[in-house]
Structures are given as C-alpha cells and as structure tokens.
Amino acid sequence: MRAVRRLVIKTAAVFCLFFTVSAGFVHAAFADWREDIGVFRIGIVVSGDVQGTLSRLEPFRLAIVDALEMDVAFFHTTSSKLLIDALVRERIEYALLSASGYAVAAVRCECVEPLVIPRSLDSTDGYHLVGIVKRNDELNLERLSTKRIGMVSPEGVLGEEFVRYLLAREVDISGNSRIFFSSKNTSEATQRAFADGEYDVLFGWSSLTGDPAEGYSRGSLRQIVENLRRPARNYRIDWKSSAIPHRPHVLRKKLPGEVKTRLRDALVNLYERNPVAYDAVEPVYGGGFTAARNERFSDLIQFLGTFYSVVPEEDTQSTGSIELNE
C-alpha cells in the first residue's frame, strides 16, 4: 500500500513539474513578442488639431490595447510621405493609409501588408473607375482623341495618369498624345458639364452595386441622378476598371503571426462589438472591416512601380495626379 502511495505521489509530482514547465514556456512565448515590440505604435496623418484628433481616436486605441494586451501609442505626422517612411523604416508597426499610399509603401519595400479595409453601407469594400457615355453613344477607346473627356476629381486617386495606365493595358494609346482630360472646379460642376453635353465621356467612379436604374449605390452616375435630377437611363457605363479597395490598415509584414491574428479578429468584429471605436477610426465607411489581401492593390502597385521610377525620392503625398489622402 505504501509503495502504491509513493508511486501516486511521484506521478503527481511529475505532472506538476510538467505543467509548471509548460506554463513557463507558454508565459515566455506570451511575453516575448510584447517585450520585443515594447510599445505598439500606430501611425496616422494629422493636420490641424492634434490633441482633438488623438482624443477622437482614443476609443480605437483602447480597442487595440484590449486586442494585444499591451501598451499602444499613436505616432502622428503631417504627411503621407512621412508616415510611409516611418512604416518602411520600422519606426512604427501599423499605419492608416490610403489605397495609393499603401501601394507606394509596397513599391518601396516588400515589408508591408494590408490587414483590413472598411466596407461601405452597401457592403462594398471598394469602387471601380468607370467611363460613362450618353445612352446612344459608344466609348471607343481607340478613338478617345476625338472625344471631349471630363474627369471627376483629377487630384484624387482617379487621376489622369492612372486612368491612362489602365486604358493602355486594353488598347494601344501610346501614339495618341492628343487625348486630353478636363475638369471643372468641383466634381458636381464636371458632372453637370457632362450632363449638359460639354463632354462626350465622363471618367468617374462607381460601386457598380445596387440598382442600375438609380445609378447604382454610390458613384458619379448616382450623383448625376441625385444632384442633377437626370435619369440614369440616359447614360450607360461603357468601361470599368477592376475594383480599387478602400483605404487599408497596414502592418509591417514581419510582425509575429499572433499579432496579426489578434488584430484582424478584433478589427473584423469591431463594428458589432465596439461601434464607438469603429466610428472613431472610420467615420466615412459605415459597414465594418473585412480582411484585406495584397492582390487587391495590384493595379495601383504595378502602376506606381512602372510609371514612377524614383518613388522613394519623390513626394509621395502627392505623386503626379495620385493623391494619397483619399
């Protein structure tokens, strides 16, 4: 009986030692990446009221604190160029960038990856560049030089050079230097000029989701319908790009997998679990976050990688017609 009791005690001691050692390893693994990072730094662009912006974003910072169980701080700067530089040089772990801002970072260094992108209320997480014509007209890409072309928001990601790049992948326009894009002072004025016949073609954007009879859920055609009271049936979309994602949340690629998993899970569920934190960081797109993939940004990455040969040295806040602050 004593022998049996001693065997039981020894066995229990071995199990206690095993679980103690295992718990030690688990604790060490739990602590290592947090100790290596120290403070998890989130980069943002702030113009104007810094303290007001940081106060508005505080619910989001606390949500990331809960997700990672570590200290989180904002790194604020005044331009996308400086923010991209901080991310590439590993001064921060995380950044809120525009789609083209992420593309610039990806061109500079294969050390970044998108984590999530926001969805609009129509459940879309991006938009298409589109060419709009009158119902009885046709958008012949090979004859663009004969058309009067309007462009919505020439200072935005819908910039002329990017549209030219996308068109050139479908038809040879290299020898057609007479293609000219024009715009008014505002998007609405450009749309009105198109609706009034001043332009033959309007390059704008669309969700391409929802009822076509209403101009789809969002975009230039929808704005023509709503703001100018022109029926959507008077027009048609005759060219479209692949979908361009909304602005992503971006990580340094070599961060530990657990960090990425924790953040992705927290952000994908943020809209339902913590709407205050979601609204604090994403006041424009009200449909929650969805997981992002690098492939979704391939058009922008290829464009910036081929069109601009010296991206790292240029002012990446406004590279040509590509504005990084969407």
Side-chain angles (χ1 to χ4, degrees):
M1 189 68 179
R2 289 181 180 178
V4 173
R5 184 178 301 171
R6 281 197 295 270
L7 179 59
V8 171
I9 293 173
K10 287 181 180 180
T11 301
V14 169
F15 273 107
C16 287
L17 178 62
F18 172 78
F19 284 115
T20 299
V21 172
S22 298
F25 279 122
V26 170
H27 177 74
F30 181 85
D32 280 350
W33 59 262
R34 290 177 174 81
E35 292 177 355
D36 290 342
I37 294 173
V39 177
F40 190 84
R41 299 154 297 182
I42 300 176
I44 56 175
V45 174
V46 180
S47 59
D49 184 6
V50 174
Q51 289 306 314
T53 300
L54 295 179
S55 296
R56 175 177 62 81
L57 288 170
E58 181 63 9
F60 175 71
R61 187 189 72 84
L62 293 176
I64 302 303
V65 169
D66 289 343
L68 297 181
E69 301 179 60
M70 66 179 297
D71 192 13
V72 175
F74 286 116
F75 171 95
H76 59 86
T77 185
T78 57
S79 76
S80 297
K81 175 183 177 179
L82 295 175
L83 184 58
I84 292 167
D85 190 67
L87 183 64
V88 170
R89 296 180 186 275
E90 300 186 3
R91 297 177 60 193
I92 57 178
E93 284 70 47
Y94 187 112
L96 309 183
L97 293 173
S98 66
S100 47
Y102 169 69
V104 169
V107 169
R108 286 192 56 179
C109 172
E110 294 184 359
C111 57
V112 296
E113 63 181 281
L115 181 69
V116 294
I117 49 180
R119 291 176 298 198
S120 184
L121 289 174
D122 60 10
S123 297
T124 58
D125 58 11
Y127 58 92
H128 301 261
L129 304 185
V130 295
I132 307 172
V133 295
K134 300 292 177 58
R135 171 59 60 183
N136 295 325
D137 291 341
E138 180 182 357
L139 179 54
N140 187 333
L141 300 183
E142 295 180 344
R143 299 188 61 194
L144 277 179
S145 62
T146 67
K147 302 295 183 181
R148 298 166 299 168
I149 306 171
M151 174 163 289
V152 172
S153 188
E155 299 301 323
V157 76
L158 313 188
E160 173 184 336
E161 296 298 345
F162 185 45
V163 172
R164 285 182 183 272
Y165 169 79
L166 295 176
L167 293 175
R169 299 200 312 188
E170 299 183 35
V171 63
D172 182 12
I173 61 173
S174 58
N176 203 337
S177 60
R178 295 177 59 84
I179 295 176
F180 179 71
F181 295 81
S182 178
S183 64
K184 304 298 182 181
N185 292 333
T186 65
S187 295
E188 183 172 347
T190 304
Q191 292 161 356
R192 184 178 296 278
F194 167 67
D196 290 343
E198 185 174 338
Y199 300 125
D200 303 309
V201 182
L202 179 69
F203 280 97
W205 66 280
S206 177
S207 65
L208 294 182
T209 294
D211 188 355
E214 297 180 359
Y216 299 98
S217 61
R218 297 181 296 135
S220 303
L221 185 54
R222 178 69 178 234
Q223 291 165 0
I224 289 174
V225 172
E226 291 188 342
N227 299 335
L228 306 182
R229 304 301 181 186
R230 310 293 176 90
R233 66 176 177 273
N234 290 355
Y235 311 94
R236 77 166 189 265
I237 291 175
D238 224 21
W239 174 85
K240 66 177 181 178
S241 72
S242 59
I244 298 172
H246 294 152
R247 52 197 181 207
H249 290 220
V250 181
L251 284 173
R252 287 197 288 115
K253 187 178 293 186
K254 69 179 185 181
L255 285 172
E258 184 180 352
V259 174
K260 300 176 185 179
T261 299
R262 282 172 171 261
L263 287 172
R264 187 176 292 106
D265 290 347
L267 292 174
V268 166
N269 293 293
L270 191 64
Y271 181 77
E272 288 78 16
R273 296 178 181 175
N274 193 340
V276 173
Y278 179 85
D279 290 341
V281 73
E282 186 43 70
V284 175
Y285 300 111
F289 289 115
T290 186
R293 304 188 313 276
N294 183 69
E295 293 76 15
R296 293 285 308 280
F297 300 86
S298 59
D299 282 346
L300 283 169
I301 292 172
Q302 291 169 17
F303 166 64
L304 288 166
T306 58
F307 188 82
Y308 298 107
S309 59
V310 288
V311 168
E313 283 70 42
E314 292 190 2
D315 183 354
T316 52
Q317 185 181 8
S318 182
T319 310
S321 299
I322 301 300
E323 173 63 46
L324 302 187
N325 294 314
E326 293 171 6

